[in-house]
Amino acid sequence: TKVADIVRADDIYEVLLEDELPLYADIVVVATPSYVASGLLESIDGELSERLLTIPYVSTATVSIAYKKSDVKRPLEGFGFVVPRTENRRIMAATWSSVKWSYRAPEDMVLIRCFVGGAKKSELVFKSDEEMTRIVKEELRDIMGIDAEPELTRIYRWKDAMPQYTIGHAERVMEIEALAARHPGLYLTGSAYRGIGISDTVREAEGTAKKVLEFLGASGKG
């Protein structure tokens, strides 16, 4: 259910939902991208809302592409590669998914996941499927020497999904947390703050859960 707004009155948070009755809570955890959190919290704290918009985001896409193992001539040592920015390539990196996780493809196939877009080439994310497939095939031909046609291609786009930790990010997060702390029972979590990897976001979520439990214990509401 989509949240339309969050307001606070008499120490109770009212979560306004689209096409549903509102929810009332002592504690609210906002785990959306920071620019979404900004809109949800504008009614509660305009300054906090503005600070949340200072974390930039970029768009990315992944292209999973499968080849017959016999068409991939070079040894697949390691789990893939990252492309240095100085190479000016149209892919950022590639993971050999079928090497990293053997169950991802049949024994006679190789599955490669390529990453497209990011801070410097986000416009590539919005190319057509045909164009993006062509780009990835050309890059894999140049980098890995694969001339064959793929057996399967799957494209996934993630619009404005990757936060960027630009210079001063740590200070921005400290400011955001200080502003959020003015509202007891309000917590922000997610990839916007301390890491975008799975392990980073799990650690962030566990830390947030601990804060919630401490608040419940201190307030006598638990």
Side-chain angles (χ1 to χ4, degrees):
T1 300
K2 187 174 182 179
V3 176
D5 198 6
I6 302 172
V7 297
R8 187 171 185 238
D10 300 326
D11 296 328
I12 295 295
Y13 292 97
E14 183 178 4
V15 182
L16 304 177
L17 307 176
E18 289 190 0
D19 304 320
E20 296 284 348
L21 294 174
L23 300 175
Y24 297 92
D26 297 312
I27 297 170
V28 172
V29 178
V30 181
T32 61
S34 61
Y35 59 88
V36 177
S38 171
L40 295 176
L41 298 175
E42 187 175 6
S43 300
I44 292 176
D45 192 322
E47 187 179 4
L48 173 59
S49 175
E50 289 181 4
R51 286 290 196 283
L52 286 165
L53 289 177
T54 62
I55 299 175
Y57 279 72
V58 298
S59 300
T60 63
T62 59
V63 181
S64 291
I65 191 165
Y67 294 97
K68 292 179 180 177
K69 186 175 287 186
S70 58
D71 290 327
V72 181
K73 305 304 181 184
R74 64 159 295 143
L76 299 181
E77 298 170 344
F79 295 125
F81 59 87
V82 176
V83 179
R85 186 176 297 172
T86 54
E87 292 291 322
N88 197 30
R89 289 285 181 181
R90 292 168 294 173
I91 63 174
M92 297 183 291
T95 296
W96 298 324
S97 300
S98 55
V99 174
K100 197 170 185 179
W101 300 286
S102 60
Y103 54 85
R104 293 295 302 275
E107 284 293 323
D108 60 343
M109 301 293 292
V110 170
L111 182 63
I112 303 171
R113 182 171 58 188
C114 295
F115 297 83
V116 178
K120 297 299 181 181
K121 296 184 183 295
S122 59
E123 71 281 359
L124 296 179
V125 173
F126 304 104
K127 298 284 188 181
S128 67
D129 286 1
E130 294 77 13
E131 180 68 7
M132 193 177 296
T133 299
R134 182 186 65 79
I135 288 171
V136 167
K137 285 165 54 181
E138 290 177 354
E139 293 295 296
L140 292 179
R141 184 182 65 234
D142 290 346
I143 297 170
M144 298 182 63
I146 303 175
D147 288 320
E149 285 298 310
E151 299 292 309
L152 172 144
T153 305
R154 295 288 185 272
I155 298 173
Y156 301 92
R157 293 175 176 83
W158 310 98
K159 185 177 184 295
D160 297 330
M162 183 177 287
Q164 301 295 286
Y165 306 141
T166 55
I167 294 173
H169 179 76
E171 290 75 14
R172 281 189 288 274
V173 170
M174 289 177 62
E175 292 175 356
I176 288 168
E177 290 183 334
L179 292 170
R182 302 191 299 196
H183 308 281
L186 174 64
Y187 298 94
L188 300 169
T189 192
S191 63
Y193 310 106
R194 292 186 178 81
I196 62 174
I198 292 175
S199 58
D200 297 317
T201 50
V202 168
R203 182 177 63 251
E204 179 83 358
E206 288 177 341
T208 303
K210 183 178 180 181
K211 292 176 185 177
V212 168
L213 292 173
E214 290 172 349
F215 174 78
L216 286 172
S219 64
K221 296 179 180 180

